[in-house]
Amino acid sequence: MSDTVLSVSNLSISFKNNSDSKTVLINSNFKIKRGTTLSLVGESGSGKSITSLALVSLLPLNASIVGSINFNGEELIGLSEIELQKIRGNKISFIFQEPMTSLNPLHTIEKQIGESLSFHQNLSGIEKTQKVIELLEKVKIPNAHTRLKDYPHQLSGGQKQRVMIAIALANKPDLLIADEPTTSLDVTIEKEIIDLLMEIKSTEKMSILFITHNLRIVKQISDYVCVMQNGKIIEQGSTQEIFESPKSNYTKKLLNSSPKGFRKNNSERISRILNVENLKVWFPIKRGFLRRTKGFIKAVDQISFDLMEEETLGIVGESGSGKTSLALAILKLINSEGSITFQNQNLQNLKSRNLLTFRKNAQIIFQDPYGSLSPKMNIEAIVGEGLDVHEKISKSKRKEMILQILNEVGLVEDMITRYPHEFSGGQRQRIAIARALILKPKLLILDEPTSALDVSVQSQVINLLKIIQNKYSLSYIFISHDIALIKSMCDKIIIMKDGIIVESGETKNLFSKPKKNYTKELIVSSNLK
């Protein structure tokens, strides 16, 4: 048996629309050796996912594929659909980025894992059920036999991804294609999934094609790396070669985009802009016919902290830790108990009609720029919407201010008539930043503002936020589960878990001498220590 499980030669892909043809992959060549991990790295649109889908002919009907895809000595291009079905999910399996959209919400976990066993191994009844339990145990789902009748919505994000891995492993594939399998997961769960994949790769003697833009993970798990840009593989080699001696400028740019070091602390900050004391956000649990309160979900429980002018406070924690609930409570977008004092004014005592000034001075930028921008409004309307609420100015002055702020965030004048879908992810986030900045706020709350972006675009947005903070003397509350980013961005950090503060302090002190085991676990999971 050859030591090469997959060989791709001169692979090109184009899409035909009417009389036009667009080439999206150009003369790609790479090999995956048996029992090794090859990572495809590059920004969105570089051709990574297109390449993976082409391997088993999952591209749309208007796709044209030229070249060779040789799997275990067999040419895949030109195989019939029946022949390909014997390979898909059997000898070559997939794990996709978002497990919730990959799993059927109407079917139990047992049924979804069992489908592949029935199709490829002709298993049924007790034998199939036992195999499903074995697979769930292999991917370390606790009490596997009790989870068979669960539906996807009853599982956590990490558990859903483990189920996807179980489905992928059901028929002992020779090649596992993992397309951004940890992007939507918290750092600790991400580490668990990566460790699980590496363990299974070792025990099953399996090869992995790993698609990602997370260079930290690539360095951790890969034997070989292919760097893609604009549909071409511009550089490839061993992981050590790529990280220690990159040849192309694009690869160097990607490697330099990862956040490094600590934020330079300004010890002269003495003016406090925000004080939070004993803040509580409890959501009632109502049961029974009369919907009586039987308990509470303590999303935020007795949280206290200060934020100084021009300071950046990082809030770190897993999903469900209370980070976003804390931000929404500070902005008075959800009800809370406790004290919130902004610029020496207690917000809890303000009536809704008196909150306008506060809303002008405190803005939020969300994780998904596309979801936070109205698809029915052009950029001029989106960025100028706050002015319509808070300022009484002429149309000419309004347009002048919009063009000025767009220029400051790196966008050009002729973009104002375009709509959100006409922009890239990084451009949409710049639009969201412009919308917040046009009101000249004093406080910006950044809720995972770069997690949906590629590493190089993330770096551009972070650099922009730093420039804007210095220019306008802004204070930031930066919410994230990316510890490396928090480390480089923030003066102080709050670590949250289950609605409470586990640990807090100056960034350097917290990283050099973490006191709590949970903090140590987060730092280790991020491979920062």
Side-chain angles (χ1 to χ4, degrees):
M1 183 181 289
S2 170
D3 68 343
T4 300
V5 68
L6 183 77
S7 177
V8 174
S9 303
N10 300 317
L11 184 66
S12 295
I13 301 170
S14 58
F15 290 99
K16 295 180 180 178
N17 292 302
N18 299 322
S19 60
D20 296 329
S21 180
K22 181 180 180 182
T23 301
V24 294
L25 194 70
I26 306 166
N27 291 330
S28 289
N29 295 273
F30 62 88
K31 293 182 179 180
I32 302 178
K33 294 182 178 180
R34 204 169 298 279
T36 66
T37 300
L38 171 71
S39 287
L40 288 183
V41 178
E43 297 171 288
S44 297
S46 61
K48 305 187 302 293
S49 295
I50 288 290
T51 300
S52 68
L53 293 172
L55 297 181
V56 285
S57 294
L58 288 176
L59 295 174
L61 294 176
N62 65 331
S64 174
I65 304 176
V66 177
S68 172
I69 301 172
N70 191 291
F71 175 69
N72 280 339
E74 181 179 16
E75 178 59 48
L76 299 187
I77 294 179
L79 287 185
S80 68
E81 185 65 21
I82 293 175
E83 290 170 317
L84 285 167
Q85 285 176 2
K86 295 176 182 177
I87 295 173
R88 296 185 195 128
N90 187 21
K91 295 302 180 183
I92 301 178
S93 288
F94 275 83
I95 304 171
F96 294 102
Q97 177 175 348
E98 180 47 67
M100 194 62 202
T101 56
S102 300
L103 295 171
N104 191 322
L106 302 178
H107 293 168
T108 64
I109 301 310
E110 180 181 16
K111 182 172 182 179
Q112 296 190 62
I113 299 175
E115 281 177 345
S116 182
L117 296 171
S118 299
F119 185 80
H120 292 290
Q121 298 185 37
N122 201 29
L123 296 183
S124 61
I126 295 174
E127 187 180 12
K128 183 171 72 172
T129 299
Q130 187 57 45
K131 183 65 176 177
V132 171
I133 294 173
E134 289 176 12
L135 287 165
L136 289 175
E137 288 174 344
K138 180 178 286 188
V139 298
K140 299 181 180 178
I141 294 284
N143 303 312
H145 65 283
T146 67
R147 309 306 298 268
L148 296 177
K149 303 304 178 186
D150 283 359
Y151 290 85
H153 72 272
Q154 295 174 285
L155 305 176
S156 68
Q159 287 173 331
K160 284 194 280 279
Q161 198 60 294
R162 288 173 188 270
V163 170
M164 285 300 301
I165 295 172
I167 294 172
L169 295 177
N171 300 295
K172 296 186 177 180
D174 293 325
L175 175 63
L176 176 65
I177 300 174
D179 190 356
E180 300 275 14
T182 62
T183 299
S184 60
L185 303 178
D186 298 317
V187 64
T188 49
I189 299 172
E190 173 190 271
K191 183 177 185 300
E192 291 173 4
I193 296 299
I194 292 300
D195 289 346
L196 175 62
L197 287 174
M198 292 302 98
E199 180 184 327
I200 290 170
K201 169 194 164 187
S202 177
T203 57
E204 303 291 329
K205 302 295 186 291
M206 184 175 61
S207 302
I208 297 178
L209 176 61
F210 199 93
I211 298 169
T212 187
H213 60 251
N214 189 323
L215 296 176
R216 174 175 51 82
I217 294 178
V218 169
K219 188 175 183 180
Q220 197 176 339
I221 70 166
S222 303
D223 300 296
Y224 303 94
V225 179
C226 289
V227 181
M228 299 191 71
Q229 183 188 26
N230 298 329
K232 295 181 181 180
I233 295 177
I234 61 169
E235 186 168 358
Q236 61 179 296
S238 70
T239 304
Q240 184 176 357
E241 289 171 346
I242 295 296
F243 276 84
E244 294 183 3
S245 305
K247 294 181 177 62
S248 77
N249 290 331
Y250 179 71
T251 305
K252 293 174 184 176
K253 173 189 167 187
L254 285 180
L255 294 174
N256 290 331
S257 296
S258 299
K260 298 178 180 69
F262 291 95
R263 172 175 159 85
K264 187 177 179 181
N265 196 11
N266 183 356
S267 58
E268 297 179 0
R269 297 186 186 103
I270 55 174
S271 299
R272 186 172 67 183
I273 189 171
L274 179 71
N275 169 253
V276 174
E277 291 286 345
N278 300 319
L279 193 68
K280 292 168 56 176
V281 178
W282 289 14
F283 297 108
I285 302 171
K286 296 182 180 293
R287 299 258 168 81
F289 179 75
L290 297 177
R291 308 299 295 163
R292 288 183 174 144
T293 299
K294 299 295 183 181
F296 293 91
I297 297 172
K298 299 179 181 180
V300 176
D301 197 19
Q302 303 292 341
I303 295 283
S304 300
F305 65 87
D306 288 329
L307 178 68
M308 312 302 284
E309 290 183 351
E310 300 179 52
E311 187 175 59
T312 301
L313 171 67
I315 302 180
V316 183
E318 300 172 340
S319 296
S321 61
K323 307 187 299 294
T324 299
S325 293
L326 174 60
L328 296 177
I330 291 169
L331 292 172
K332 297 293 293 173
L333 295 175
I334 58 174
N335 293 327
S336 63
E337 296 180 15
S339 172
I340 306 170
T341 304
F342 179 76
Q343 292 184 317
N344 299 318
Q345 186 174 36
N346 192 334
L347 302 182
Q348 300 288 45
N349 297 331
L350 292 180
K351 302 298 182 183
S352 57
R353 63 179 179 273
N354 297 323
L355 283 172
L356 268 183
T357 302
F358 167 68
R359 300 230 188 274
K360 178 182 176 183
N361 286 321
Q363 294 284 307
I364 186 168
I365 297 171
F366 294 100
Q367 175 177 354
D368 179 8
Y370 193 64
S372 65
L373 302 177
S374 172
K376 297 181 179 180
M377 297 168 67
N378 65 22
I379 302 314
E380 181 177 6
I382 288 171
V383 175
E385 188 176 21
L387 294 176
D388 299 337
V389 175
H390 295 282
E391 304 283 353
K392 292 182 178 180
I393 54 177
S394 65
K395 287 184 178 181
S396 59
K397 178 64 175 177
R398 178 182 183 273
K399 187 165 185 176
E400 178 187 333
M401 291 177 69
I402 292 170
L403 293 176
Q404 180 183 349
I405 202 67
L406 287 176
N407 180 62
E408 287 202 35
V409 300
L411 299 174
V412 296
E413 180 175 336
D414 62 4
M415 290 181 173
I416 65 171
T417 58
R418 291 160 60 183
Y419 289 80
H421 72 273
E422 299 178 74
F423 294 88
S424 68
Q427 288 173 323
R428 284 195 287 262
Q429 199 59 292
R430 289 173 186 268
I431 293 165
I433 294 170
R435 177 177 60 181
L437 287 180
I438 199 166
L439 294 172
K440 296 183 172 56
K442 294 298 181 182
L443 169 64
L444 262 186
I445 296 180
L446 306 157
D447 191 359
E448 300 274 12
T450 61
S451 65
L453 305 177
D454 296 319
V455 61
S456 59
V457 181
Q458 178 187 94
S459 178
Q460 295 168 17
V461 172
I462 290 301
N463 289 336
L464 173 63
L465 288 171
K466 289 177 179 178
I467 292 168
I468 287 168
Q469 182 174 37
N470 291 332
K471 182 174 182 177
Y472 291 105
S473 301
L474 291 171
S475 300
Y476 287 162
I477 294 179
F478 200 99
I479 298 171
S480 181
H481 59 250
D482 186 333
I483 309 298
L485 186 56
I486 288 286
K487 178 183 176 183
S488 68
M489 188 76 183
C490 301
D491 302 291
K492 297 187 301 191
I493 298 177
I494 288 173
I495 306 289
M496 287 188 69
K497 189 176 193 300
D498 299 330
I500 64 171
I501 294 178
V502 174
E503 188 169 356
S504 63
E506 300 285 338
T507 303
K508 282 190 177 180
N509 293 339
L510 194 139
F511 273 87
S512 60
K513 296 179 182 179
K515 297 175 183 177
K516 302 296 183 179
N517 289 334
Y518 181 69
T519 307
K520 295 175 184 176
E521 181 185 346
L522 285 177
I523 294 172
V524 170
S525 297
S526 299
N527 202 27
L528 294 177
K529 196 171 181 181

